[in-house]
Amino acid sequence: MPAAAPVWTIVVAAGNGTRFGGEVPKQFLEISGRTVLTWSVNTAASATDGVVVVLPQQHLAGAEQFLEGVTCVAGGDTRSDSVRAGLAAVPQDAAVVVVHDAARPVASAALYGRAIAAIHHGADAATPVVSVVDTIRTVDGQMVDRDKLRAVQTPQAFRASILRRVHESEPEATDDAGLIAQAAGTVVTVAGERWNIKLTEPADLAVIAGLLNEQIQ
Ligand code: CTP
Ligand code: MG
């Protein structure tokens, strides 16, 4: 694959943020003058050639106004439905597609670079992972060896043709790299970022706000 072949990002932002709660979905909360979604989109736009943003149908018109130069489409009931909606709007000549959670606004352009480079080096999928720092036990009290565990992050990068193919059968997964692995594709891991956390619960907000504030200083 030529290194110059277009790389597109799908930023999935069509969730309800049920665990976070609140009046608007978490990705529309403002931190240091821009929404969580805009923070995510800005990094995607700096790291790749084009961006598709997948939004809740009812927020499509409102969000398009503050997102310039990106393609906006409506998402679906599940994250996988939303990825498919985004994929349908990615130009056919894209060679690499990156999928990123809008709820991870701290992911760096360097992290995109590592994931994309792995595809250029021949992988079908590349996923950032970090080690698990907590001691882990199951709900029924079994201890789990954390050295065998990795937490999976986004941005995940894919050879575009393979991502399109695995989504043809409309599978459900919170993680697209897992779908590629099930289809016997080559999935590699790249070093994730300790602070690339997903805005999930209200307590995450102060941490993410602190991290983003540092970036603008
Ligand atoms: N997402 C999406 N479409 C869906 C569900 C999720 O685009 N139908 C997006 C979210 O907007 C988010 C990312 O997928 O950026 C990761 O999902 P998650 O953090 O679970 O967000 P929500 O599903 O919105 O939150 P919750 O699970 O608490 O409802
Ligand atoms: Mg969810």
Side-chain angles (χ1 to χ4, degrees):
M1 180 190 308
V7 180
W8 276 68
T9 304
I10 300 168
V11 177
V12 283
N16 297 321
T18 311
R19 285 170 288 180
F20 193 91
E23 309 244 300
V24 290
K26 60 192 182 181
Q27 59 273 29
F28 299 115
L29 296 177
E30 214 169 277
I31 296 177
S32 300
R34 49 186 98 132
T35 63
V36 169
L37 171 62
T38 305
W39 281 100
S40 294
V41 169
N42 286 355
T43 308
S46 75
T48 59
D49 301 309
V51 181
V52 174
V53 182
V54 188
L55 294 156
Q57 177 72 57
Q58 67 273 28
H59 290 275
L60 196 55
E64 266 173 341
Q65 291 168 13
F66 64 80
L67 293 171
E68 279 169 26
V70 304
T71 307
C72 295
V73 297
D77 289 343
T78 66
R79 185 181 183 281
S80 290
D81 287 335
S82 296
V83 170
R84 284 189 280 278
L87 209 42
V90 170
Q92 283 299 329
D93 70 343
V96 179
V97 174
V98 179
V99 180
H100 184 57
D101 293 332
R104 292 185 189 270
V106 191
S108 72
L111 181 53
Y112 276 78
R114 287 199 287 283
I116 294 162
I119 306 305
H120 286 141
H121 285 113
D124 295 325
T127 185
V129 295
V130 289
S131 56
V132 176
V133 293
D134 293 306
T135 295
I136 303 283
R137 48 165 273 168
T138 64
V139 283
D140 53 9
Q142 309 268 10
M143 299 313 289
V144 178
D145 181 2
R146 71 170 169 228
D147 291 341
K148 292 202 166 75
L149 302 177
R150 294 291 180 271
V152 171
Q153 303 182 336
T154 70
Q156 297 185 334
F158 303 92
R159 189 176 303 279
S161 55
I162 289 170
L163 187 63
R164 288 190 198 276
R165 199 188 316 141
V166 296
H167 272 288
E168 274 170 8
S169 59
E170 305 197 350
E172 279 308 320
T174 55
D175 169 40
D176 293 285
L179 294 174
I180 306 289
Q182 280 167 27
T186 331
V187 181
V188 301
T189 59
V190 299
E193 293 173 333
R194 179 85 174 91
W195 294 115
N196 176 21
I197 58 174
K198 182 155 67 76
L199 181 61
T200 304
E201 296 179 350
D204 301 324
L205 190 59
V207 179
I208 288 178
L211 292 162
L212 293 175
N213 255 316
E214 254 174 45
Q215 285 188 14
I216 55 175
Q217 262 146 49

